[in-house]
């Protein structure tokens, strides 16, 4: 395809984008009407929205349109999974400059579609408008299949903290890119295209998870939300994290303690949950800490590492000074 | 409240915004977790997304933040109603410059909340990020309550075309504003804050509507989508439209045929539907035309006025030259 989205026009662009989609059995009505209709057999629907802006959440010179699509779908679908639900659908609000190559838009849609496919979902609708900065507003929907939603507020003293998925890979890859390198490839790829363990969310709910969250801002930061919502203190054990040898090598090369990436790096969308000690966790869950006590009155719950505060790079405040 | 959203910070802003919300019985879980949980008793959920950008879809000097909130919620909730569903929830993706006054954000949220209340829905979640242009990505959800969704594709030859709600008021108000005036107030208000007849969507479905759409781009343009999807030609009768005397006066003052506003003006979010001739329509529906024939093969369905093409301002192409 040649030309720009401006040359295609709104309806031409919508036609090109929707032509690439593949429905699932959960899609009663896809794009093209006032609204989509998606099955919600549970009788409740899980819904979440994220906005991604060029230059802030992705860079067109570091990631292909396809990877941006994969990644932006992944971060929303992971939120659905972290409630204990199975993703069913996403909707895309798409702001594009008129001079954006049409292929960028169609490859973005291919990425959204393919990531949805991994999670068992489908793109069911959206909106395209013209604007100065490429902006994606993604809404993901999911079905709880009869499960109670697993909230941030349910962690109990004595629970173990367990994690599954990748930790620190995206942050290590970002550091590599920031230094002007394109390898090691595995980490750069992890930054461009996270692989959230979607299946682990509903599975954790079935195993009896008391709280759950996906790691989008960094493990310590996201567990901080769990600690605050549950009114508990959480302690992580640094020795229980697995720092891959290659990540340690990158750390040495760039002068960064790789534990920083593992504990504070976001965007891998690992899933972390608390479970009663009695739960037998499948092999791919790694126990990395414990809910140690009720938070002191008047002070929100906090997260420590080996009993001490983790004072390094915390979570990400989108309005903090850059 | 004083200061800017940058001074509040991401979490402070989210706290201020969510503090203003009021849940409904359909909200199982509101903002604050990875995702919201909304009841979908029908077992299907209706979902639609629209994006609005400052300068393109609204102007901060013409509309208050509260009105922008009302309007942006209204246009999405109307899409849900036009499927024959009852709106249940909206999610907000909110892009804001760091120097945006915090009161602008909170008043926006008040507007979203109050428009939701009119429609029986609630704001259940969202995302805030920093960016250059104020941008709102709104997703609305709804419940069909056992109804079949009313699509654009179901219009049948012989059906009457009927409309309920306001037509041309927003466009007349916009013309007034563009000429630098602030009155007549009723039309300016209609532009700032549309009043879609939400109840009429599900009611039309129950009455047996064969197709339905809300008028967001202009009656002829939106009926054009119905004609195309249904493969039929539609003829409207100009004499059957009610042009209010005050609208005629504005038209005369600014040299515009008010029928242009009625037939081509968008953003009032009236609801237009086709019904079998046998249906007894309630008083607030106005029959304004008929589905006259099957579209000629190889040519999409079209909309005429008194048998002639309506060649004036058509629909709105978001990527067309400005």
């Amino acid at each position: 395809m040649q030309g720009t989205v401006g040359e295609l026009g709104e309806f031409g662009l919508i036609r090109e984008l929707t032509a690439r989609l593949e429905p699932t059995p959960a899609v009663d009505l896809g794009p093209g009407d006032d609204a989509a209709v998606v099955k919600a057999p549970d009788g409740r629907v899980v819904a979440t929205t994220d906005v991604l802006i060029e230059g802030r959440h992705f860079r067109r010179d570091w990631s292909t349109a396809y990877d941006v699509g994969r990644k932006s779908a992944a971060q929303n679908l992971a939120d659905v999974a972290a409630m204990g639900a199975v993703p069913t659908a996403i909707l895309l609000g798409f702001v594009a400059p008129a001079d954006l190559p049409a292929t960028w838009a169609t490859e973005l849609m291919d990425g959204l579609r393919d990531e949805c496919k991994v999670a068992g979902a489908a793109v069911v609708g959206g909106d395209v408008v013209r604007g100065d900065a490429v902006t994606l507003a993604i809404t993901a929907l999911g079905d709880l299949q009869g499960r109670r939603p697993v909230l941030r507020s349910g962690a109990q003293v004595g629970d173990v903290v367990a994690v599954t998925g990748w930790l620190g890979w995206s942050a290590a890859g970002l550091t590599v890119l920031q230094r002007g390198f394109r390898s090691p490839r595995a980490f750069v790829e992890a930054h461009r295209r996270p692989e959230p363990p979607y299946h682990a969310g509903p599975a954790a709910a079935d195993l009896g998870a008391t709280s759950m969250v996906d790691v989008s801002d960094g493990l310590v930061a996201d567990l901080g939300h769990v600690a605050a919502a549950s009114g508990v203190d959480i302690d992580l054990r640094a020795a229980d994290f697995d720092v891959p040898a290659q990540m340690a090598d990158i750390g040495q090369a760039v002068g960064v303690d790789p534990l920083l990436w593992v504990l504070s790096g976001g965007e891998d969308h690992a899933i972390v949950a608390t479970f009663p000690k009695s739960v037998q966790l499948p092999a791919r869950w790694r126990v990395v800490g414990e809910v140690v006590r009720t938070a002191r009155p008047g002070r929100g719950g906090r997260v420590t590492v080996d009993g001490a505060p983790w004072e390094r790079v915390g979570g990400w405040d989108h309005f903090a000074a850059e």
Side-chain angles (χ1 to χ4, degrees), chain A:
Chain A
M1 190 182 322
Q2 297 197 317
T4 65
V5 300
E7 285 159 15
L8 270 181
E10 180 183 4
F11 296 109
L13 177 60
I14 290 172
R15 201 162 41 236
E16 287 293 336
L17 295 181
T18 55
R20 315 178 89 77
L21 300 182
E22 298 169 19
T24 66
V27 181
D28 272 5
L29 182 69
D33 218 295
D34 290 301
V37 182
V38 180
K39 287 197 177 70
D42 175 88
R44 297 166 295 177
V45 62
V46 168
T48 181
T49 290
D50 273 336
V51 179
L52 297 95
I53 304 183
E54 174 172 18
R56 185 155 192 89
H57 301 95
F58 61 88
R59 283 176 53 161
R60 276 197 268 160
D61 53 340
W62 283 359
S63 295
T64 64
Y66 182 81
D67 285 343
V68 172
R70 294 289 298 246
K71 186 170 183 165
S72 54
Q75 80 176 59
N76 280 277
L77 297 164
D79 279 330
V80 168
M83 298 302 288
V86 172
T88 53
I90 68 171
L91 297 98
L92 167 69
F94 182 29
V95 180
D99 64 358
L100 186 75
T103 50
W104 201 93
T106 54
E107 286 165 16
L108 171 81
M109 187 53 90
D110 288 346
L112 290 167
R113 176 199 61 207
D114 288 354
E115 190 66 25
C116 276
K117 206 184 284 190
V118 171
V123 182
V124 297
D127 188 24
V128 299
V129 302
R130 194 209 284 195
D132 294 329
V134 178
T135 304
L136 312 175
I138 311 244
T139 300
L141 306 179
D143 191 71
L144 284 160
Q145 299 180 322
R147 296 179 197 94
R148 65 180 170 71
V150 184
L151 311 187
R152 299 176 174 196
S153 55
Q156 302 289 324
V157 175
D159 284 352
V160 298
V161 176
V163 64
T164 189
W166 307 93
L167 279 179
W169 286 61
S170 177
L174 178 61
T175 302
V176 165
L177 285 166
Q178 282 169 336
R179 308 278 165 120
F181 299 105
R182 302 259 164 170
S183 66
R185 205 170 160 71
F187 294 87
V188 171
E189 287 289 300
H191 176 70
R192 289 184 174 141
R193 197 188 299 177
E195 293 183 356
Y198 299 116
H199 61 283
D206 291 339
L207 285 164
T210 54
S211 74
M212 181 155 54
V213 70
D214 83 298
V215 181
S216 48
D217 295 338
L219 183 68
V220 171
D222 287 310
L223 273 176
H225 301 315
V226 170
S230 300
V232 297
D233 288 343
I234 289 172
D235 189 46
L236 301 175
R237 285 179 303 268
D240 288 345
F241 289 92
D242 182 33
V243 176
Q246 219 184 352
M247 193 188 285
D249 290 346
I250 304 173
Q252 196 147 33
V254 299
V256 172
D257 177 356
L259 202 61
L260 183 73
W261 292 323
V262 170
L263 291 177
S264 297
E267 300 201 308
D268 287 300
H269 303 289
I271 287 185
V272 60
T274 54
F275 296 92
K277 271 207 177 79
S278 57
V279 171
Q280 292 283 327
L281 290 170
R284 271 180 294 184
W285 287 87
R286 196 171 184 93
V287 173
V288 294
E290 194 176 325
V291 181
V292 287
R293 71 184 79 80
T294 303
R296 257 194 272 161
R299 206 192 55 187
R302 61 178 197 161
V303 179
T304 50
V305 180
D306 297 329
W310 178 252
E311 302 276 284
R312 300 192 235 182
V313 179
W316 179 251
D317 182 323
H318 287 289
F319 287 99
E322 303 207 286

